[in-house]
Amino acid sequence: MPRHHTKMPHDPQLQARMERLEKHDHRVEHVFRRILHFIERIIAAVTILVLVAALGIKFYEMIWVDKALDLSGYLHDVLTVVVGLEFVRMLIDTTPASILEVLTVAITRHVILSHDDPWSNLACVACIAGLFAIRRYLIRRHELKEEMVEME
């Protein structure tokens, strides 16, 4: 048999306590969101540093170490940096649009760099078309600009 509260919901003391608990929960949630946002920014900054270092190393190797230009390897490394930068942008600006852009860039990178069979490439192109359809028909325009994790 379920246990019922003996106090009425419009009891002033109960209402005051519920309001205090709600405010406390809101403050705790706000603190956690700020901590998570701060950690995301740190991860983004570290990722940018690593990407810039990787790009610098690649340019150094390309100019002074390797006299023969390996265009495929260079393209692979540069597009990896581009995907990384898009990921950083997604961490900083967590909107549905930025997430779709990261997925689009990652899939496009796979299509450009992989030399898979035509069916795999067709599947990747279908995925990109699906992402554009999702952006166009399933996400409202005002949601594209709103942050998914609201900061107050």
Side-chain angles (χ1 to χ4, degrees):
M1 179 174 216
R3 199 169 164 200
H4 296 285
H5 294 290
T6 57
K7 295 184 180 182
M8 297 294 290
H10 24 285
D11 180 15
Q13 290 177 342
L14 181 62
Q15 283 182 348
R17 184 168 184 216
M18 288 178 68
E19 287 174 6
R20 282 193 311 271
L21 286 173
E22 187 175 321
K23 285 180 183 178
H24 179 265
D25 287 347
H26 182 70
R27 282 192 302 261
V28 168
E29 182 180 336
H30 181 71
V31 167
F32 280 134
R33 286 184 191 269
R34 288 198 96 31
I35 289 170
L36 288 174
H37 201 64
F38 180 71
I39 292 171
E40 286 175 347
R41 300 276 179 166
I42 290 172
I43 291 171
V46 169
T47 305
I48 286 175
L49 291 174
V50 169
L51 290 172
V52 168
L55 195 57
I57 290 170
K58 187 61 183 174
F59 281 138
Y60 172 79
E61 289 174 352
M62 187 176 72
I63 294 172
W64 284 287
V65 177
D66 295 335
K67 296 301 178 188
L69 181 62
D70 177 23
L71 197 57
S72 177
Y74 174 74
L75 192 60
H76 178 272
D77 293 342
V78 168
L79 289 178
T80 300
V81 170
V82 169
V83 170
L85 290 173
E86 285 293 326
F87 176 72
V88 169
R89 201 173 99 198
M90 180 191 73
L91 285 176
I92 293 171
D93 180 31
T94 54
T95 60
S98 65
I99 294 170
L100 290 175
E101 287 174 20
V102 169
L103 291 172
T104 303
V105 169
I107 293 171
T108 303
R109 176 191 173 276
H110 176 75
V111 169
I112 292 171
L113 295 179
S114 70
H115 301 290
D116 295 336
D117 60 313
W119 293 109
S120 175
N121 289 339
L122 182 64
C124 289
V125 170
C127 287
I128 292 171
L131 290 172
F132 280 116
I134 288 170
R135 182 179 177 150
R136 173 73 172 100
Y137 296 109
L138 296 180
I139 300 176
R140 295 183 194 107
R141 292 205 189 278
H142 66 85
E143 289 176 351
L144 286 174
K145 295 181 180 169
E146 290 178 4
E147 268 200 55
M148 291 177 67
V149 179
E150 296 177 5
M151 291 295 297
E152 293 181 17

